[in-house]
Amino acid sequence: MMKKWLGILFVCGVLSALAVTVKCTEDGEQKEFQESERNGCRQNREGGKGTEMRREKQDKRESAIRIPTVKEVSDNPYIYRYNHDLGRAKGLLSKDCLNDRYLRLQAVYRANLDAYLREVLDIETLDEELRNSRLGFVSHKSGKQNLYERGSAMGLEFIYLRNNLYIEYLDEEQLCLLERRQETGKHPVTDEIKAMVTETFREIIRVRDPRDWEDRSSFLYPEVQGQKPMIPNHALVLGIANDMEYDASGRLAPDAFRREKYEFLDRIKKEKEREYSRITGVKVYILIE
């Protein structure tokens, strides 16, 4: 009888021990799972923070559009073509001069117009062709770049938008759209702004006569490689940089490919003016500068 009770007690003890072991194992697994879950959340949060930091760095890098100084623009021969009455009414001029607000919003508009043109035209491919040509085309060094090259957001070596942009012809809502984006400090190009630019750029690029704001005649561009081209004042104008190299005495350096370069650029100019005019629905001119 005693042996029987001892056997029963032994079995109960084993079962209790097993139960405790199972419970400890379950608790341990639960604890381990909870800790793993917490670690996972922590990793996700840390990963999220890392992603946000990377995104912020990217935004800062991409938002670095160049805004010209008031002096740079004042020295530009187009300055008298601005509509000062409209500019003053919309807070874009100070003491009859373009102010910082005008130049900031103009830079955002230009970045979006540049982005649109890169999307619809093959200017990136053309720029690459110029860079890799056996003819050895030379772009302008930073010290020789004009106002439009310096302010370009296209990111290309040779090609840039040559038009001045008269943003005083935008309405208040459109100006506010540009300003809100500029104040975020983020990348200036958005689908919303680009859509607005696509609809408005034909009026914003138009060079008007201060004596007749509805004038649609031709405009005499500043001298370009020995010429002063007459271009319709409503045309979209692109520039292609073609620098000349000089020797130590200041004379034009010998260039075995000079004639071929001129022939190539002349052909490209004619072909692309027709092609780009058809694509954009506006007359396109290309200046070789």
Side-chain angles (χ1 to χ4, degrees), residues 151-199:
S152 176
M154 287 183 176
L156 303 177
E157 184 175 342
F158 289 89
I159 302 171
Y160 53 94
L161 178 64
R162 184 61 172 75
N163 290 94
N164 204 46
L165 302 176
Y166 301 95
I167 63 166
E168 64 268 30
Y169 291 96
L170 295 173
D171 63 33
E172 293 289 355
E173 185 178 344
Q174 291 163 340
L175 290 171
C176 286
L177 178 63
L178 297 175
E179 192 155 37
R180 284 195 300 271
R181 189 60 186 178
Q182 194 274 328
E183 287 175 347
T184 66
K186 295 181 179 179
H187 193 295
V189 178
T190 69
D191 290 340
E192 184 180 12
I193 298 177
K194 201 160 46 175
M196 181 270 286
V197 166
T198 304
E199 293 176 359

Side-chain angles (χ1 to χ4, degrees), residues 88-134:
R88 275 191 294 270
K90 296 178 180 179
L92 298 169
L93 270 75
S94 301
K95 296 182 179 179
D96 216 33
C97 292
L98 302 185
N99 58 25
D100 179 65
R101 180 173 182 248
Y102 192 111
L103 300 179
R104 286 187 288 106
L105 304 192
Q106 186 188 55
V108 175
Y109 191 99
R110 182 177 293 276
N112 281 269
L113 181 51
D114 283 353
Y116 163 71
L117 294 174
R118 280 194 64 157
E119 286 179 8
V120 299
L121 306 178
D122 67 347
I123 52 179
E124 188 173 354
T125 301
L126 178 57
D127 195 80
E128 185 177 357
E129 187 176 355
L130 290 167
R131 280 189 284 112
N132 298 328
S133 173
R134 66 176 183 82

Side-chain angles (χ1 to χ4, degrees), residues 5-43:
W5 279 108
L6 287 173
I8 292 171
L9 289 172
F10 175 76
V11 171
C12 289
V14 170
L15 291 173
S16 297
L18 285 172
V20 170
T21 303
V22 169
K23 187 174 188 309
C24 289
T25 304
E26 287 175 347
D27 288 346
E29 288 176 349
Q30 181 70 17
K31 184 177 180 181
E32 184 179 348
F33 172 76
Q34 290 172 347
E35 184 64 27
S36 174
E37 193 175 45
R38 283 196 295 271
N39 287 339
C41 291
R42 189 182 303 119
Q43 288 168 2

Side-chain angles (χ1 to χ4, degrees), residues 110 114 117-118 121-131 138-140 145-146 148-162 236-242 264-265 268-269 272 276 284-289:
R110 182 177 293 276
D114 283 353
L117 294 174
R118 280 194 64 157
L121 306 178
D122 67 347
I123 52 179
E124 188 173 354
T125 301
L126 178 57
D127 195 80
E128 185 177 357
E129 187 176 355
L130 290 167
R131 280 189 284 112
V138 179
S139 60
H140 296 149
Q145 290 180 341
N146 62 38
Y148 307 99
E149 289 176 275
R150 295 194 299 271
S152 176
M154 287 183 176
L156 303 177
E157 184 175 342
F158 289 89
I159 302 171
Y160 53 94
L161 178 64
R162 184 61 172 75
L236 178 72
V237 184
L238 297 173
I240 295 181
N242 179 41
F264 175 85
L265 290 172
I268 286 296
K269 171 180 164 63
K272 295 305 179 182
Y276 294 169
V284 174
Y285 280 75
I286 295 176
L287 296 179
I288 311 298
E289 301 190 287

